Amino acid sequence: MTGVSYMIPFVAAGGIMIAIGFMLAQVFGGSRGAIDVTAYTLSPGAEDPSKILQNVFNPADGMHWAALFFVIGGAAFGFLVPILSGFIAFGIADRPGLVPGIVGGFIAATMQAGFLGGIVTGFIAGFAARWISRWNVHKGVRGVMPVVVIPLLSTLITGAAMVLLLGRPIKSLMDALSNGLTSMSGSNAILLGAILGLMMGFDLGGPVNKVAYTFGTTGLAAVSATATDAPQLKIMAAVMGAGMVAPWGLALATTVRPKLFTKSEHENGRACWLLGASFISEGAIPFAAADPWRVIVSSMVGSAVTGALIMAFGSGSRAPHGGLWVTPLITNPLMFLLSIVVGAIITGFLVVTLKAADRSRHAVEV
């Protein structure tokens, strides 16, 4: 989780800029603009994508702006696996784990082992650095241990393990995973969306929710910067949409049947409109804490429906966060929003129905 938390800003910055680049390319480049934006940056005479921007950048040309966003976003995306690996190692061994972790992650990315390779190198680097740092060495050597010995040996161990032993098997596994996701369609994709929705709606920002969110964000690291319809983008959209359902559902419930809720819950409900719009699932936690089974069951059902609908409609997102505010960067945005609204209505309806039934039962008992 340490690696993922440090990786997310790179995913957010890179993904949003790439998405803006494609959006501008669609506006200024015609129907094929978003497809051709990478070729546009690699125009004749340019040795790399940034050369055209340095030499002939025209502020009046919309496609040049699209290329600028695309190049910068692609650069940010290039750090995903090294940062993931480096900060997994940091979480295990503290600062001594950074160098072998980042180097190992770079090797994993170079070998096309993806985020799975980054996770593996992060653990190897972290435990190797931690083991070496605990060696009982002569006091004359202690001063150079953190600067020379630990990074040297731990990087050697991590890099050798990846290059000689683990790189190719992990790449094969990543290829199989990517092919499996690419071939996923119809009922399989809808089922995956529903499962991710159930996880997002279960503990509202807790460990299960974070597992689903991590699955979505790390999947983005495996997507080519030029991909526009990759299944990983649809998974990210399903995860984000499902995470917005519970706050909006509870906000709706407190608005429709205010007598079923306390004064403090009314205040939380008003705040949940904004929290849900910002993809902050934790906004629904006060409701779940006060009435766990009714709220959690309702949240899971609504979120599962939203996740399934988003996968069925094929909406995709490069942005791992932002909620309603990054809707312009989401493919098929109207269906994305409709899916969230449907899930929120289901959640709100279930919460109201279950609470009303409970109140009626207690009234009969009295």
Side-chain angles (χ1 to χ4, degrees):
M1 293 308 299
T2 302
V4 171
S5 65
Y6 279 97
M7 183 189 75
I8 285 173
F10 289 85
V11 180
I16 290 174
M17 280 193 283
I18 289 172
I20 290 174
F22 277 113
M23 186 172 65
L24 291 175
Q26 281 183 322
V27 172
F28 295 106
S31 59
R32 288 189 55 81
I35 300 172
D36 294 340
V37 64
T38 53
Y40 196 86
T41 60
L42 288 167
S43 66
E47 297 175 8
D48 61 71
S50 63
K51 284 289 181 69
I52 184 174
L53 303 175
Q54 295 171 357
N55 298 333
V56 295
F57 181 74
N58 180 6
D61 190 330
M63 283 298 288
H64 280 210
W65 283 104
L68 178 65
F69 275 100
F70 182 84
V71 169
I72 297 173
F77 248 50
F79 287 95
L80 300 191
V81 175
I83 292 298
L84 173 67
S85 177
F87 281 94
I88 288 175
F90 175 81
I92 297 170
D94 210 346
R95 287 177 60 187
L98 275 176
V99 172
I102 291 174
V103 173
F106 179 81
I107 294 172
T110 303
M111 298 184 71
Q112 299 181 338
F115 73 90
L116 288 180
I119 292 172
V120 170
T121 55
F123 278 104
I124 294 174
F127 285 115
R130 187 176 179 181
W131 170 59
I132 296 169
S133 66
R134 293 183 174 182
W135 286 358
N136 186 17
V137 298
H138 189 274
K139 62 181 180 180
V141 183
R142 288 175 194 164
V144 297
M145 284 290 289
V147 179
V148 178
V149 178
I150 297 175
L152 173 64
L153 296 181
S154 59
T155 301
L156 177 61
I157 292 171
T158 306
M162 197 64 191
V163 172
L164 301 178
L165 299 175
L166 302 173
R168 290 180 181 84
I170 294 175
K171 181 184 182 302
S172 299
L173 182 60
M174 277 296 299
D175 290 342
L177 177 61
S178 178
N179 292 335
L181 288 174
T182 301
S183 63
M184 185 175 289
S185 60
S187 59
N188 289 333
I190 294 171
L191 177 61
L192 177 60
I195 292 171
L196 292 172
L198 288 171
M199 296 173 70
M200 290 299 294
F202 175 65
D203 53 0
L204 306 171
V208 176
N209 174 288
K210 286 294 187 288
V211 167
Y213 182 62
T214 301
F215 179 69
T217 53
T218 52
L220 291 180
V223 181
S224 166
T226 60
T228 57
D229 194 37
Q232 291 90 338
L233 304 182
K234 299 174 185 177
I235 289 170
M236 189 68 250
V239 167
M240 183 160 63
M244 298 167 64
V245 166
W248 273 4
L250 272 302
L252 179 64
T254 57
T255 302
V256 173
R257 291 292 299 275
K259 293 183 179 180
L260 295 175
F261 299 91
T262 65
K263 184 177 179 180
S264 63
E265 286 176 331
H266 291 163
E267 296 175 357
N268 289 332
R270 285 191 289 271
C272 275
W273 288 114
L274 178 60
L275 294 174
S278 304
F279 181 35
I280 301 176
S281 306
E282 288 84 350
I285 287 178
F287 296 94
D291 192 358
W293 86 264
R294 293 177 186 84
V295 171
I296 291 175
V297 168
S298 304
S299 169
M300 290 176 68
V301 173
S303 298
V305 170
T306 293
L309 286 175
I310 290 174
M311 292 295 282
F313 291 133
S315 297
S317 175
R318 280 195 178 275
H321 216 290
L324 189 65
W325 316 114
V326 296
T327 303
L329 306 180
I330 292 174
T331 57
N332 205 1
L334 292 179
M335 292 298 100
F336 174 77
L337 291 175
L338 176 63
S339 301
I340 299 170
V341 169
V342 169
I345 291 173
I346 291 172
T347 294
F349 173 78
L350 286 175
V351 168
V352 167
T353 302
L354 293 173
K355 281 183 173 288
D358 183 65
R359 177 171 289 191
S360 299
R361 182 175 63 83
H362 282 297
V364 170
E365 289 176 354
V366 171

